[in-house]
Amino acid sequence: MPMIEQDIKAAVAHILTTQYSAAITADQVTINKTNKEHTGDFTVVVFPLARFTKLAPEAAGQAIGEALKTTCDFIAEFNVIKGFLNLVLTDEYWLTRLGKIASNPTYGTFAPNGSKVVLEYCGPNTNKPLHIGHVRNMLIGYSMSEILKAAGSDVTKVNIYNDRGIAISQSMVAYTRFANGATPESTGIKGDHFVGDWYVKFNQVALEEVGALCNAPEDKAEAKKQTKIFKEAQELLLKWEAGDPETMALWKKMNGWVYQGFQQTFNLIGVDFQKDYYESETYKLGKDIIEEGLAKEVFYKRADGAVAVDLTPEGLDEKVLLRSDGTSIYITQDLGTAQLRYEEFGMDKMIYVVANEQDYHFKVLKLALQKLGKQWADGIFHLSYALVESPTGRFKSREGKTADADDLIAEVMRIAEDRTKELGKIEGLSETEAQQLYHTIGLGALKYFVLRVNPYKKIIFNPEESIDFHGHTGPFIQYTHARICAITRKAGSIAETTTIDTSHPLTAEEKELLVLLADYENTVRNAAEKVDPSELANYIYQLAKTYNKFYHESPILNANTDAEKSLRVALSAQTGAVIKKGMKLLGIAVPERM
RNA sequence: GGCCUGGUAGCUCAGUUGGAUAGAGCAACAGCCUUCUAAGCUGUGGGUCAUUGGUUCGAAUCCAAUCCAGGUCACCA
């Protein structure tokens, strides 16, 4: 809660306690931003307060308003409509806020709050390329880490590669059978796509073999497991688990290609990790925790030998944590990996950016660790995001190229190039500058498209329609920034000023913009608290839109007076700065020209 | 079937701890480049906030039931 709103609440509470002997605290006062159609900056909702004054809501509003005006020097005037007390703050107050913003280079970033966060995101399988689901994951994960850092947390970004198992074994089998020693270099295919192609090939061959075995579609899933090629893959997995040198060498070689390919995509999108984990190294973890749980009698060994935990008191089921043959399953290694990270980082919060299909899994993970009495497990948070779907339903990895991350990025950059050339905006740019601009705009469009939607809501993405560049989009915000840069460039040294003349009256457009600017800090903190980048994305759009209106209505460099000019330049400069900072927290770059 | 998420304009989405006449963008239509970047600005039309009931000064928001969509309920990951 920004200071000013807290101050008003406290003042209202003070008036009610001293003048009406009401037992009321500041928290009980409801205050909102005033709706556009009414005059005012903040509105006190009088209905719940009226009973303390023994007056009708309207009269109570009047009485409180008068008392506020005399006690608070930042309140210029007020009006009462029904039970709503609208307060207008003085222009001086707002201009002082602008001065504080302008003179604070770190406006919107908070002092360290002592919180240590480990944030896991991306989590790809190494048998196929990244797709649009990973894109959403990465954008949410990266921007969330930036937002948390701005809010004062110490964040470590980690990735986990699902680099072992039956899927990569299948790619390996197909590669061995059909590739004739081809490599990404020899074919010119990006490494992750290259390996993914062999995974697709495996499934084609398996289907052909199924066709030979049976015709009934309902038996196909079962029949697939009976195919020769499927059995080969299973055998290969066993060889891998036994550490067979030849198998390991091929596995390392193919995964190496994949990592190279992934890294290119990470670079293109602009995401990074401080630490990588590999399932091949973590999949045996967790046995200690199982032992610990058995010793503490939180877990129990069933008659069949499997270790389980009873979560029926929590409304879940009995959950097996270790196979009856003593080997690990998914949850076992996640328990172990969590413990490992706690030992490595001592974090008080661990955020998993993982799709909402795994809600149940993370409930189990958190509960199991809590039952073991691990304090830090309270800080486990599953940032559960919904899937990206096509208008006809889920994207299937085999259906269509449009869900592929690299294709999507290439497409959106191509559109950026076309648009930019159409508008004749590449004059004076070198080829590399132009390419850089297409990248900035294209990625900006894609990232904003994804990030403006609340993570827990599914995104409908129609690959038939290209991502928009007008309206509520990334390029719109980028354009606004470029426009502001043109202003501040021409304004020269005036744009550097951090002192504000607080006696100058504000126009409606100036004030609307300033009020919004003053709200940035609050927005960053809200986005961090709610663990939701869309909060910030929507704020920046609002800010850009408000600026464009201001820009259209108010001459800046051609203002009537010097005082007006310097105020408007200052407003422009600060808006530009906030757009740039805010977009950076979203992982989106803003150009100075476009 | 149990549990979890969603359902707001033709489409894609906002909507703070319950607050005033539910907002944007896209699409459609009509205007604005002789002043700082028109990827912009302005205007028009478009709504049973899934349905029904409840809670209260006040409900898109909270509660209950129902309908629809998706997910999940593996010794897969």
Side-chain angles (χ1 to χ4, degrees), chain A residues 43 84 86 304 323-324 425 454 470 479 483 490 541 551-552 557:
Chain A
T43 298
F84 298 96
N86 301 317
D304 60 9
R323 284 199 191 97
S324 48
K425 299 217 176 193
N454 194 309
H470 295 277
Y479 175 74
R483 224 181 196 185
K490 288 175 188 165
Y541 169 68
Y551 176 93
H552 188 261
L557 299 172

Short mmCIF file of all heavy atoms in Angstrom, two decimals, chain A residues 43 84 86 304 323-324 425 454 470 479 483 490 541 551-552 557, chain B residues 13-14 19-20 24-25 36-41 73 75-77:
data_model
loop_
_atom_site.label_atom_id
_atom_site.label_comp_id
_atom_site.label_asym_id
_atom_site.label_seq_id
_atom_site.Cartn_x
_atom_site.Cartn_y
_atom_site.Cartn_z
N THR A 43 -11.10 7.71 -3.45
CA THR A 43 -12.47 7.70 -2.94
C THR A 43 -12.55 6.90 -1.65
O THR A 43 -12.12 5.75 -1.62
CB THR A 43 -13.42 7.10 -3.98
OG1 THR A 43 -13.39 7.91 -5.15
CG2 THR A 43 -14.83 7.02 -3.46
N PHE A 84 -20.08 7.94 -1.43
CA PHE A 84 -18.68 7.96 -1.86
C PHE A 84 -18.08 9.34 -1.65
O PHE A 84 -18.61 10.34 -2.15
CB PHE A 84 -18.57 7.56 -3.33
CG PHE A 84 -19.06 6.17 -3.59
CD1 PHE A 84 -20.36 5.95 -4.03
CD2 PHE A 84 -18.26 5.07 -3.35
CE1 PHE A 84 -20.83 4.67 -4.26
CE2 PHE A 84 -18.72 3.79 -3.58
CZ PHE A 84 -20.01 3.58 -4.02
N ASN A 86 -15.18 11.58 -2.56
CA ASN A 86 -14.09 11.71 -3.53
C ASN A 86 -13.12 12.79 -3.10
O ASN A 86 -13.54 13.93 -2.86
CB ASN A 86 -14.64 12.03 -4.92
CG ASN A 86 -15.59 10.96 -5.40
OD1 ASN A 86 -15.32 9.77 -5.25
ND2 ASN A 86 -16.71 11.36 -5.96
N ASP A 304 3.17 -54.97 -0.01
CA ASP A 304 3.84 -55.33 -1.26
C ASP A 304 5.26 -54.76 -1.34
O ASP A 304 5.95 -54.95 -2.33
CB ASP A 304 3.00 -54.88 -2.47
CG ASP A 304 2.78 -53.37 -2.48
OD1 ASP A 304 3.41 -52.66 -1.66
OD2 ASP A 304 1.98 -52.91 -3.31
N ARG A 323 8.99 -47.49 -5.45
CA ARG A 323 8.47 -48.75 -5.99
C ARG A 323 8.76 -49.92 -5.06
O ARG A 323 9.69 -49.87 -4.25
CB ARG A 323 9.12 -49.06 -7.34
CG ARG A 323 8.60 -48.24 -8.49
CD ARG A 323 8.96 -48.92 -9.81
NE ARG A 323 8.70 -48.04 -10.93
CZ ARG A 323 9.64 -47.29 -11.51
NH1 ARG A 323 10.88 -47.31 -11.09
NH2 ARG A 323 9.32 -46.52 -12.52
N SER A 324 7.99 -50.97 -5.23
CA SER A 324 8.18 -52.15 -4.38
C SER A 324 9.54 -52.80 -4.62
O SER A 324 10.08 -53.47 -3.75
CB SER A 324 7.05 -53.15 -4.61
OG SER A 324 6.85 -53.35 -5.99
N LYS A 425 10.54 2.25 -42.19
CA LYS A 425 11.24 2.69 -40.98
C LYS A 425 12.67 2.17 -40.89
O LYS A 425 13.25 2.16 -39.82
CB LYS A 425 10.46 2.23 -39.75
CG LYS A 425 9.06 2.82 -39.71
CD LYS A 425 8.65 3.15 -38.31
CE LYS A 425 7.28 3.82 -38.33
NZ LYS A 425 6.95 4.43 -37.05
N ASN A 454 -3.03 -13.80 -17.63
CA ASN A 454 -2.84 -14.39 -16.32
C ASN A 454 -2.39 -15.86 -16.47
O ASN A 454 -3.02 -16.62 -17.18
CB ASN A 454 -4.19 -14.31 -15.60
CG ASN A 454 -4.05 -14.59 -14.14
OD1 ASN A 454 -3.45 -15.60 -13.77
ND2 ASN A 454 -4.58 -13.74 -13.32
N HIS A 470 -0.70 -4.28 -33.35
CA HIS A 470 -1.43 -3.05 -33.04
C HIS A 470 -2.27 -3.24 -31.79
O HIS A 470 -2.69 -4.34 -31.49
CB HIS A 470 -2.37 -2.68 -34.20
CG HIS A 470 -1.64 -2.34 -35.46
ND1 HIS A 470 -1.12 -1.11 -35.71
CD2 HIS A 470 -1.35 -3.11 -36.53
CE1 HIS A 470 -0.52 -1.12 -36.90
NE2 HIS A 470 -0.65 -2.33 -37.42
N TYR A 479 6.68 1.06 -29.41
CA TYR A 479 6.52 2.25 -30.23
C TYR A 479 6.41 3.49 -29.35
O TYR A 479 7.02 4.53 -29.63
CB TYR A 479 5.27 2.11 -31.10
CG TYR A 479 4.96 3.35 -31.89
CD1 TYR A 479 5.72 3.69 -33.00
CD2 TYR A 479 3.91 4.18 -31.52
CE1 TYR A 479 5.44 4.84 -33.72
CE2 TYR A 479 3.63 5.33 -32.22
CZ TYR A 479 4.40 5.65 -33.32
OH TYR A 479 4.12 6.79 -34.02
N ARG A 483 8.87 6.70 -29.36
CA ARG A 483 8.33 8.04 -29.51
C ARG A 483 8.87 8.95 -28.40
O ARG A 483 9.26 10.09 -28.65
CB ARG A 483 6.81 7.92 -29.34
CG ARG A 483 6.04 8.69 -30.33
CD ARG A 483 4.57 8.49 -30.01
NE ARG A 483 3.81 8.92 -31.17
CZ ARG A 483 2.48 8.96 -31.18
NH1 ARG A 483 1.79 8.59 -30.12
NH2 ARG A 483 1.86 9.36 -32.24
N LYS A 490 15.45 15.24 -28.58
CA LYS A 490 15.35 16.62 -29.05
C LYS A 490 15.35 17.61 -27.89
O LYS A 490 15.74 18.77 -28.06
CB LYS A 490 14.08 16.79 -29.88
CG LYS A 490 14.21 16.11 -31.23
CD LYS A 490 12.93 16.18 -32.01
CE LYS A 490 13.05 15.31 -33.27
NZ LYS A 490 11.76 15.05 -33.90
N TYR A 541 0.85 -1.42 -20.35
CA TYR A 541 -0.03 -1.06 -21.47
C TYR A 541 -0.84 0.18 -21.12
O TYR A 541 -0.95 1.11 -21.91
CB TYR A 541 -0.97 -2.22 -21.81
CG TYR A 541 -2.07 -1.82 -22.77
CD1 TYR A 541 -1.77 -1.48 -24.08
CD2 TYR A 541 -3.39 -1.74 -22.35
CE1 TYR A 541 -2.76 -1.08 -24.96
CE2 TYR A 541 -4.39 -1.34 -23.22
CZ TYR A 541 -4.08 -1.01 -24.52
OH TYR A 541 -5.06 -0.61 -25.38
N TYR A 551 0.33 12.68 -25.20
CA TYR A 551 1.16 13.11 -26.32
C TYR A 551 0.33 13.79 -27.41
O TYR A 551 0.70 14.80 -27.98
CB TYR A 551 1.88 11.88 -26.88
CG TYR A 551 2.73 12.11 -28.09
CD1 TYR A 551 4.08 12.38 -27.96
CD2 TYR A 551 2.18 12.03 -29.38
CE1 TYR A 551 4.87 12.57 -29.07
CE2 TYR A 551 2.97 12.22 -30.49
CZ TYR A 551 4.32 12.49 -30.34
OH TYR A 551 5.10 12.67 -31.44
N HIS A 552 -0.83 13.18 -27.65
CA HIS A 552 -1.71 13.70 -28.69
C HIS A 552 -2.33 15.03 -28.28
O HIS A 552 -2.50 15.92 -29.11
CB HIS A 552 -2.79 12.67 -28.98
CG HIS A 552 -3.63 13.03 -30.16
ND1 HIS A 552 -4.86 13.63 -30.01
CD2 HIS A 552 -3.41 12.91 -31.48
CE1 HIS A 552 -5.37 13.84 -31.22
NE2 HIS A 552 -4.52 13.40 -32.12
N LEU A 557 7.49 19.71 -26.85
CA LEU A 557 8.61 20.59 -27.20
C LEU A 557 8.10 21.97 -27.63
O LEU A 557 8.81 22.96 -27.54
CB LEU A 557 9.44 19.95 -28.31
CG LEU A 557 10.07 18.60 -27.94
CD1 LEU A 557 10.70 17.93 -29.14
CD2 LEU A 557 11.09 18.77 -26.82
P C B 13 -7.61 -15.88 -24.48
OP1 C B 13 -6.57 -16.89 -24.22
OP2 C B 13 -9.01 -16.14 -24.11
"O5'" C B 13 -7.12 -14.51 -23.84
"C5'" C B 13 -7.61 -14.09 -22.58
"C4'" C B 13 -7.22 -12.65 -22.40
"O4'" C B 13 -8.00 -11.82 -23.30
"C3'" C B 13 -7.53 -12.07 -21.03
"O3'" C B 13 -6.47 -12.39 -20.15
"C2'" C B 13 -7.61 -10.59 -21.32
"O2'" C B 13 -6.33 -10.01 -21.44
"C1'" C B 13 -8.30 -10.58 -22.68
N1 C B 13 -9.76 -10.44 -22.60
C2 C B 13 -10.29 -9.18 -22.28
O2 C B 13 -9.50 -8.24 -22.06
N3 C B 13 -11.63 -9.02 -22.20
C4 C B 13 -12.43 -10.06 -22.43
N4 C B 13 -13.74 -9.85 -22.35
C5 C B 13 -11.92 -11.35 -22.77
C6 C B 13 -10.59 -11.49 -22.83
P A B 14 -6.71 -12.29 -18.57
OP1 A B 14 -5.52 -12.91 -17.95
OP2 A B 14 -8.05 -12.76 -18.18
"O5'" A B 14 -6.59 -10.73 -18.35
"C5'" A B 14 -7.66 -10.05 -17.79
"C4'" A B 14 -7.29 -8.63 -17.58
"O4'" A B 14 -7.97 -7.86 -18.61
"C3'" A B 14 -7.82 -8.08 -16.25
"O3'" A B 14 -6.87 -8.24 -15.24
"C2'" A B 14 -8.08 -6.62 -16.60
"O2'" A B 14 -6.89 -5.87 -16.63
"C1'" A B 14 -8.63 -6.76 -18.02
N9 A B 14 -10.08 -7.02 -18.05
C8 A B 14 -10.71 -8.16 -18.48
N7 A B 14 -12.02 -8.10 -18.41
C5 A B 14 -12.27 -6.83 -17.89
C6 A B 14 -13.45 -6.15 -17.58
N6 A B 14 -14.66 -6.66 -17.76
N1 A B 14 -13.34 -4.90 -17.08
C2 A B 14 -12.12 -4.38 -16.90
N3 A B 14 -10.93 -4.93 -17.15
C4 A B 14 -11.08 -6.17 -17.66
P G B 19 -15.38 -4.46 -5.43
OP1 G B 19 -14.83 -5.04 -6.63
OP2 G B 19 -14.58 -3.58 -4.55
"O5'" G B 19 -16.69 -3.67 -5.83
"C5'" G B 19 -16.52 -2.42 -6.47
"C4'" G B 19 -17.69 -1.56 -6.14
"O4'" G B 19 -18.13 -1.71 -4.77
"C3'" G B 19 -17.35 -0.09 -6.35
"O3'" G B 19 -18.38 0.53 -7.08
"C2'" G B 19 -17.23 0.43 -4.90
"O2'" G B 19 -17.60 1.76 -4.80
"C1'" G B 19 -18.25 -0.44 -4.18
N9 G B 19 -18.09 -0.59 -2.73
C8 G B 19 -16.99 -0.99 -2.03
N7 G B 19 -17.23 -1.10 -0.74
C5 G B 19 -18.56 -0.74 -0.60
C6 G B 19 -19.39 -0.68 0.55
O6 G B 19 -19.10 -0.93 1.71
N1 G B 19 -20.68 -0.27 0.24
C2 G B 19 -21.11 0.03 -1.02
N2 G B 19 -22.37 0.40 -1.13
N3 G B 19 -20.36 -0.03 -2.11
C4 G B 19 -19.11 -0.42 -1.82
P A B 20 -18.48 0.10 -8.69
OP1 A B 20 -18.92 -1.30 -8.84
OP2 A B 20 -17.33 0.58 -9.47
"O5'" A B 20 -19.73 1.02 -9.01
"C5'" A B 20 -20.97 0.82 -8.34
"C4'" A B 20 -21.71 2.13 -8.35
"O4'" A B 20 -20.99 3.08 -7.52
"C3'" A B 20 -21.81 2.75 -9.73
"O3'" A B 20 -23.05 3.41 -9.86
"C2'" A B 20 -20.68 3.80 -9.75
"O2'" A B 20 -20.94 4.90 -10.57
"C1'" A B 20 -20.66 4.23 -8.28
N9 A B 20 -19.34 4.70 -7.85
C8 A B 20 -18.19 3.98 -7.74
N7 A B 20 -17.15 4.68 -7.33
C5 A B 20 -17.67 5.95 -7.15
C6 A B 20 -17.10 7.16 -6.72
N6 A B 20 -15.82 7.27 -6.38
N1 A B 20 -17.89 8.24 -6.66
C2 A B 20 -19.17 8.11 -7.00
N3 A B 20 -19.84 7.04 -7.41
C4 A B 20 -19.03 5.98 -7.47
P A B 24 -12.94 1.82 -22.23
OP1 A B 24 -12.82 3.29 -22.26
OP2 A B 24 -13.91 1.14 -23.10
"O5'" A B 24 -11.50 1.21 -22.49
"C5'" A B 24 -11.32 0.39 -23.59
"C4'" A B 24 -9.96 -0.24 -23.52
"O4'" A B 24 -10.00 -1.38 -22.62
"C3'" A B 24 -9.54 -0.80 -24.87
"O3'" A B 24 -8.86 0.20 -25.60
"C2'" A B 24 -8.66 -1.97 -24.46
"O2'" A B 24 -7.38 -1.53 -24.04
"C1'" A B 24 -9.41 -2.51 -23.24
N9 A B 24 -10.50 -3.43 -23.58
C8 A B 24 -11.85 -3.21 -23.48
N7 A B 24 -12.59 -4.23 -23.85
C5 A B 24 -11.67 -5.19 -24.22
C6 A B 24 -11.82 -6.50 -24.70
N6 A B 24 -12.99 -7.09 -24.89
N1 A B 24 -10.70 -7.19 -24.98
C2 A B 24 -9.51 -6.60 -24.79
N3 A B 24 -9.24 -5.38 -24.34
C4 A B 24 -10.38 -4.71 -24.07
P G B 25 -9.25 0.43 -27.11
OP1 G B 25 -8.58 1.68 -27.53
OP2 G B 25 -10.71 0.29 -27.29
"O5'" G B 25 -8.55 -0.80 -27.81
"C5'" G B 25 -7.14 -0.94 -27.74
"C4'" G B 25 -6.74 -2.34 -28.14
"O4'" G B 25 -7.30 -3.28 -27.19
"C3'" G B 25 -7.27 -2.81 -29.48
"O3'" G B 25 -6.47 -2.33 -30.55
"C2'" G B 25 -7.17 -4.33 -29.32
"O2'" G B 25 -5.84 -4.77 -29.43
"C1'" G B 25 -7.63 -4.48 -27.87
N9 G B 25 -9.08 -4.70 -27.78
C8 G B 25 -10.03 -3.81 -27.35
N7 G B 25 -11.24 -4.31 -27.39
C5 G B 25 -11.07 -5.60 -27.87
C6 G B 25 -12.01 -6.63 -28.12
O6 G B 25 -13.24 -6.60 -27.98
N1 G B 25 -11.41 -7.78 -28.61
C2 G B 25 -10.06 -7.92 -28.81
N2 G B 25 -9.66 -9.10 -29.29
N3 G B 25 -9.16 -6.98 -28.57
C4 G B 25 -9.74 -5.86 -28.11
P C B 36 5.73 17.23 -36.58
OP1 C B 36 6.81 16.79 -37.49
OP2 C B 36 4.41 16.58 -36.64
"O5'" C B 36 6.25 17.14 -35.08
"C5'" C B 36 7.53 17.68 -34.73
"C4'" C B 36 7.99 17.08 -33.44
"O4'" C B 36 7.22 17.63 -32.36
"C3'" C B 36 7.80 15.58 -33.32
"O3'" C B 36 8.95 14.93 -33.84
"C2'" C B 36 7.65 15.34 -31.82
"O2'" C B 36 8.89 15.03 -31.20
"C1'" C B 36 7.20 16.71 -31.29
N1 C B 36 5.85 16.69 -30.72
C2 C B 36 5.63 17.43 -29.56
O2 C B 36 6.55 18.06 -29.06
N3 C B 36 4.39 17.44 -29.01
C4 C B 36 3.42 16.74 -29.58
N4 C B 36 2.22 16.79 -29.01
C5 C B 36 3.62 15.97 -30.77
C6 C B 36 4.85 15.98 -31.31
P U B 37 9.11 13.29 -33.67
OP1 U B 37 9.40 13.09 -32.24
OP2 U B 37 10.10 12.84 -34.67
"O5'" U B 37 7.74 12.56 -33.99
"C5'" U B 37 7.18 12.60 -35.29
"C4'" U B 37 6.69 11.23 -35.70
"O4'" U B 37 7.79 10.28 -35.63
"C3'" U B 37 5.58 10.67 -34.82
"O3'" U B 37 4.63 10.04 -35.65
"C2'" U B 37 6.31 9.61 -33.98
"O2'" U B 37 5.47 8.53 -33.61
"C1'" U B 37 7.33 9.12 -34.98
N1 U B 37 8.49 8.45 -34.38
C2 U B 37 8.64 7.11 -34.69
O2 U B 37 7.87 6.51 -35.42
N3 U B 37 9.72 6.51 -34.09
C4 U B 37 10.63 7.11 -33.27
O4 U B 37 11.56 6.46 -32.81
C5 U B 37 10.40 8.51 -33.01
C6 U B 37 9.36 9.11 -33.55
P A B 38 3.07 10.51 -35.57
OP1 A B 38 2.86 11.63 -36.48
OP2 A B 38 2.74 10.64 -34.13
"O5'" A B 38 2.28 9.27 -36.14
"C5'" A B 38 2.11 8.09 -35.35
"C4'" A B 38 1.34 7.07 -36.16
"O4'" A B 38 -0.01 7.58 -36.39
"C3'" A B 38 1.93 6.83 -37.54
"O3'" A B 38 1.72 5.48 -37.92
"C2'" A B 38 1.11 7.73 -38.45
"O2'" A B 38 1.04 7.28 -39.77
"C1'" A B 38 -0.26 7.64 -37.76
N9 A B 38 -1.08 8.81 -38.04
C8 A B 38 -0.95 10.07 -37.55
N7 A B 38 -1.85 10.92 -38.00
C5 A B 38 -2.63 10.15 -38.85
C6 A B 38 -3.73 10.46 -39.64
N6 A B 38 -4.28 11.67 -39.70
N1 A B 38 -4.27 9.46 -40.37
C2 A B 38 -3.73 8.25 -40.30
N3 A B 38 -2.68 7.83 -39.59
C4 A B 38 -2.18 8.84 -38.88
P A B 39 2.85 4.35 -37.66
OP1 A B 39 4.04 5.02 -37.14
OP2 A B 39 2.95 3.54 -38.87
"O5'" A B 39 2.22 3.46 -36.52
"C5'" A B 39 1.05 2.71 -36.75
"C4'" A B 39 1.04 1.52 -35.84
"O4'" A B 39 2.16 0.68 -36.19
"C3'" A B 39 1.21 1.88 -34.36
"O3'" A B 39 0.52 0.93 -33.55
"C2'" A B 39 2.71 1.72 -34.16
"O2'" A B 39 3.07 1.42 -32.84
"C1'" A B 39 3.00 0.53 -35.06
N9 A B 39 4.40 0.48 -35.52
C8 A B 39 5.27 1.48 -35.78
N7 A B 39 6.45 1.08 -36.16
C5 A B 39 6.34 -0.30 -36.15
C6 A B 39 7.24 -1.32 -36.47
N6 A B 39 8.48 -1.10 -36.86
N1 A B 39 6.81 -2.59 -36.34
C2 A B 39 5.56 -2.81 -35.96
N3 A B 39 4.60 -1.93 -35.64
C4 A B 39 5.08 -0.69 -35.76
P G B 40 -0.99 1.32 -33.07
OP1 G B 40 -1.29 0.61 -31.82
OP2 G B 40 -1.90 1.18 -34.23
"O5'" G B 40 -0.87 2.88 -32.74
"C5'" G B 40 -0.09 3.32 -31.62
"C4'" G B 40 -0.21 4.83 -31.51
"O4'" G B 40 0.12 5.43 -32.80
"C3'" G B 40 -1.62 5.34 -31.23
"O3'" G B 40 -1.89 5.32 -29.84
"C2'" G B 40 -1.54 6.77 -31.77
"O2'" G B 40 -0.80 7.60 -30.91
"C1'" G B 40 -0.71 6.54 -33.04
N9 G B 40 -1.57 6.23 -34.19
C8 G B 40 -1.66 5.04 -34.87
N7 G B 40 -2.52 5.07 -35.85
C5 G B 40 -3.03 6.36 -35.82
C6 G B 40 -4.00 6.98 -36.64
O6 G B 40 -4.63 6.51 -37.60
N1 G B 40 -4.24 8.29 -36.26
C2 G B 40 -3.61 8.93 -35.22
N2 G B 40 -3.97 10.18 -35.01
N3 G B 40 -2.70 8.36 -34.45
C4 G B 40 -2.46 7.09 -34.80
P C B 41 -3.36 5.14 -29.31
OP1 C B 41 -3.28 5.03 -27.84
OP2 C B 41 -4.09 4.11 -30.08
"O5'" C B 41 -4.00 6.54 -29.68
"C5'" C B 41 -3.68 7.71 -28.95
"C4'" C B 41 -4.45 8.88 -29.50
"O4'" C B 41 -4.17 9.01 -30.91
"C3'" C B 41 -5.96 8.74 -29.44
"O3'" C B 41 -6.48 9.05 -28.17
"C2'" C B 41 -6.39 9.74 -30.50
"O2'" C B 41 -6.26 11.07 -30.05
"C1'" C B 41 -5.33 9.50 -31.58
N1 C B 41 -5.78 8.49 -32.57
C2 C B 41 -6.69 8.90 -33.56
O2 C B 41 -7.09 10.08 -33.55
N3 C B 41 -7.11 8.01 -34.48
C4 C B 41 -6.66 6.76 -34.44
N4 C B 41 -7.11 5.91 -35.38
C5 C B 41 -5.74 6.31 -33.44
C6 C B 41 -5.33 7.20 -32.53
P C B 73 -3.06 -38.51 -12.74
OP1 C B 73 -1.70 -38.90 -12.37
OP2 C B 73 -3.64 -38.99 -14.01
"O5'" C B 73 -4.06 -38.94 -11.57
"C5'" C B 73 -3.65 -38.95 -10.22
"C4'" C B 73 -4.82 -39.31 -9.36
"O4'" C B 73 -5.95 -38.47 -9.72
"C3'" C B 73 -5.37 -40.71 -9.56
"O3'" C B 73 -4.62 -41.66 -8.84
"C2'" C B 73 -6.79 -40.57 -9.03
"O2'" C B 73 -6.83 -40.60 -7.63
"C1'" C B 73 -7.16 -39.17 -9.52
N1 C B 73 -7.92 -39.19 -10.77
C2 C B 73 -9.31 -39.34 -10.70
O2 C B 73 -9.82 -39.45 -9.57
N3 C B 73 -10.04 -39.35 -11.83
C4 C B 73 -9.44 -39.23 -13.02
N4 C B 73 -10.20 -39.25 -14.10
C5 C B 73 -8.01 -39.08 -13.12
C6 C B 73 -7.30 -39.07 -11.99
P C B 75 0.71 -46.04 -8.63
OP1 C B 75 -0.10 -46.67 -9.64
OP2 C B 75 0.39 -46.28 -7.22
"O5'" C B 75 2.20 -46.49 -8.88
"C5'" C B 75 3.20 -45.75 -8.34
"C4'" C B 75 4.48 -46.38 -8.83
"O4'" C B 75 4.82 -47.41 -7.90
"C3'" C B 75 4.29 -47.04 -10.21
"O3'" C B 75 5.42 -46.72 -10.95
"C2'" C B 75 4.14 -48.54 -9.88
"O2'" C B 75 4.79 -49.38 -10.80
"C1'" C B 75 4.88 -48.65 -8.53
N1 C B 75 4.30 -49.64 -7.63
C2 C B 75 5.14 -50.69 -7.22
O2 C B 75 6.29 -50.73 -7.63
N3 C B 75 4.65 -51.61 -6.37
C4 C B 75 3.39 -51.52 -5.94
N4 C B 75 2.95 -52.46 -5.12
C5 C B 75 2.50 -50.47 -6.35
C6 C B 75 3.01 -49.56 -7.19
P C B 76 5.95 -47.05 -12.28
OP1 C B 76 5.82 -48.44 -12.65
OP2 C B 76 7.24 -46.48 -11.88
"O5'" C B 76 5.32 -46.25 -13.50
"C5'" C B 76 5.25 -44.85 -13.48
"C4'" C B 76 5.71 -44.38 -14.83
"O4'" C B 76 4.53 -44.06 -15.63
"C3'" C B 76 6.53 -43.12 -14.82
"O3'" C B 76 7.89 -43.41 -14.62
"C2'" C B 76 6.26 -42.55 -16.20
"O2'" C B 76 7.07 -43.18 -17.18
"C1'" C B 76 4.78 -42.94 -16.44
N1 C B 76 3.84 -41.86 -16.10
C2 C B 76 3.42 -41.02 -17.14
O2 C B 76 3.87 -41.22 -18.27
N3 C B 76 2.54 -40.03 -16.87
C4 C B 76 2.09 -39.86 -15.63
N4 C B 76 1.21 -38.89 -15.42
C5 C B 76 2.50 -40.70 -14.54
C6 C B 76 3.38 -41.68 -14.81
P A B 77 8.78 -42.51 -13.71
OP1 A B 77 10.10 -43.17 -13.66
OP2 A B 77 8.08 -42.18 -12.46
"O5'" A B 77 8.90 -41.17 -14.55
"C5'" A B 77 9.72 -41.09 -15.72
"C4'" A B 77 9.42 -39.78 -16.40
"O4'" A B 77 8.00 -39.72 -16.66
"C3'" A B 77 9.69 -38.56 -15.54
"O3'" A B 77 11.03 -38.13 -15.65
"C2'" A B 77 8.71 -37.53 -16.08
"O2'" A B 77 9.20 -36.92 -17.25
"C1'" A B 77 7.52 -38.41 -16.44
N9 A B 77 6.52 -38.44 -15.35
C8 A B 77 6.49 -39.24 -14.25
N7 A B 77 5.45 -39.04 -13.47
C5 A B 77 4.76 -38.02 -14.10
C6 A B 77 3.58 -37.34 -13.78
N6 A B 77 2.84 -37.59 -12.68
N1 A B 77 3.15 -36.37 -14.61
C2 A B 77 3.89 -36.11 -15.69
N3 A B 77 5.02 -36.68 -16.12
C4 A B 77 5.40 -37.64 -15.26
#
